[in-house]
Amino acid sequence: RAKREGKGQFRIFTPSMDDSVKLRAELEDDLRRAIQAGDQMQVYYQTEMAPDGNTVLGLEALLRWQHPVRGAIFPDQFIPLAEETGLITPLSEFVLQNACRMASRWPDIFIAVNLSAVQFRTAGLAERFIDIAACANCDPHRIELEITESVLVEKDDVARSILEKLRAAGFRIALDDFGTGYSSLSYLRQFKVDKIKIDRSFVRNLGHDTEASAIVASVVTLGHAMGLTVTAEGVETRDQQRLLSAAGCNELQGYYFSTPMPEAEMNALLETRWERPDFAA
Ligand code: C2E
Ligand code: MG
Ligand code: MG
Ligand code: MG
């Protein structure tokens, strides 16, 4: 506990700060152990659908941490920690390995994997990803890497050269949370990407808010003019599905179609409930 300070002196360590520093250190240890142990980290999958809502085009891999004491921990609570400590690298490789396995089990759909901007500051990411896919016998074309606009804004050449190597190896690149970052059209011209994912904040306001509809319409127009696939995130209602598919979105993702779920559950659903595209036809 912080000592009583003299009158008028600033107390640097309030109990709550003390606790949060301890909690952080504890979580960091736990995360390190979880990665080593292997069984606490799970990859969940959520479908990405054709606008008709019947056909699964792909799955997004979303990380979950089943903490032995604290229970389920969502990415928002441990990804930032993993980014600050470098643990994002082993975590990300774990997700990619899972995704490659899912890709070979379901040959007609893509699997999307999220990457953090900090991963684009260290050379070696592209080589590791190419290796992991090769070891898993997975064609990189089957894997979509979701990055945020902040990666494109990185000043130095490291990020750019990593992206180029990944694309050259066949990985697809999607811009996640599109519209929330430093969206600058000039970045979209400089860096070739394959897909943009309209952030769910725009989808949420569809139907109530004419601005949201205008933004969605112009992102679709822009994306298509540049030859990109346009996906909408956070689709929760039938109305949103209707509006987004009328606006020309190519793919829809959201709780309306499926929540993220463990691999085994997703496999069961893919076997029974949904169609998949028939590329042979
Ligand atoms: P994201 O990549 O934008 O993923 C979509 C998030 O929206 C997921 O949250 C998903 O569960 C949620 N979502 C999907 N459909 C709906 C919907 O209809 N309504 C609402 N309200 N939410 C929906 P989640 O799984 O908590 O992940 C949060 C973020 O954490 C992800 O956002 C992604 O940026 C990051 N993340 C997850 N897994 C990884 C990973 O393996 N590596 C890295 N670097 N980041 C990850
Ligand atoms: Mg994503
Ligand atoms: Mg993301
Ligand atoms: Mg997103």
Side-chain angles (χ1 to χ4, degrees):
R1 256 328 63 112
K3 267 190 296 178
R4 270 228 169 275
E5 310 282 359
K7 222 183 186 169
Q9 267 197 301
F10 190 71
R11 260 179 70 159
I12 299 171
F13 293 103
T14 65
S16 72
M17 265 177 82
D18 193 26
D19 287 351
S20 79
V21 169
K22 270 209 315 238
L23 175 66
R24 206 203 107 105
E26 213 176 284
L27 266 188
E28 184 181 335
D29 281 351
D30 290 354
L31 185 58
R32 217 174 283 279
R33 263 194 297 272
I35 293 168
Q36 273 157 11
D39 54 346
Q40 291 174 35
M41 307 305 307
Q42 291 174 322
V43 181
Y44 275 42
Y45 292 94
Q46 183 182 31
T47 58
E48 302 196 26
M49 312 295 293
D52 68 5
N54 297 319
T55 313
V56 177
L57 302 175
L59 300 174
E60 178 172 5
L62 294 160
L63 203 47
R64 296 288 181 267
W65 180 9
Q66 194 58 43
H67 190 286
V69 179
R70 298 177 194 280
I73 305 186
F74 283 80
D76 292 344
Q77 286 165 274
F78 65 87
I79 294 288
L81 180 65
E83 290 172 350
E84 287 163 35
T85 54
L87 292 170
I88 193 68
T89 301
L91 273 180
S92 176
E93 295 180 355
F94 169 76
V95 174
L96 180 64
Q97 275 155 3
N98 267 263
C100 288
R101 189 174 68 228
M102 204 59 164
S104 42
R105 166 145 194 171
W106 300 105
D108 39 18
I109 60 178
F110 67 84
I111 314 290
V113 167
N114 290 281
L115 286 175
S116 295
V118 298
Q119 297 180 264
F120 284 84
R121 298 201 192 121
T122 343
L125 170 68
E127 288 77 5
R128 286 291 298 151
F129 267 46
I130 292 165
D131 267 9
I132 290 169
C135 286
N137 234 324
C138 174
D139 182 345
H141 272 108
R142 308 283 319 288
I143 305 290
E144 194 166 280
L145 303 176
E146 297 194 1
I147 63 172
T148 50
E149 291 155 284
S150 55
V151 171
L152 307 187
V153 186
E154 292 275 337
K155 286 277 185 303
D156 55 61
D157 294 335
V158 179
R160 181 187 303 243
S161 102
I162 292 175
L163 261 186
E164 275 164 10
K165 277 184 205 158
L166 288 167
R167 283 198 98 245
F171 289 100
R172 310 287 173 95
I173 308 294
L175 269 190
D176 206 355
D177 309 333
F178 189 79
T180 60
Y182 310 79
S183 325
S184 158
L185 302 184
S186 68
Y187 291 120
L188 270 185
R189 290 190 56 196
Q190 278 175 50
F191 298 90
K192 183 84 188 79
V193 303
D194 302 282
K195 177 182 289 189
I196 44 190
K197 296 185 80 173
I198 301 176
D199 189 71
R200 67 168 183 264
S201 55
F202 303 109
V203 172
R204 192 187 305 132
N205 294 322
L206 271 182
H208 319 292
D209 173 343
T210 50
E211 266 176 41
S213 316
I215 290 169
V216 167
S218 49
V219 171
V220 171
T221 306
L222 166 79
H224 287 173
M226 299 184 79
L228 309 179
T229 301
V230 179
T231 301
E233 303 185 293
V235 184
E236 295 183 355
T237 67
R238 186 172 164 68
D239 256 11
Q240 290 166 345
Q241 177 193 3
R242 201 173 39 75
L243 291 168
L244 290 162
S245 88
C249 287
N250 306 94
E251 299 171 356
L252 306 179
Q253 177 180 7
Y255 296 161
Y256 183 61
F257 309 105
S258 98
T259 57
M261 60 186 81
E263 181 177 329
E265 265 176 60
M266 182 54 78
N267 285 337
L269 277 181
L270 285 174
E271 265 150 23
T272 55
R273 180 163 140 200
W274 284 302
E275 296 166 15
R276 291 180 306 282
D278 188 359
F279 290 133

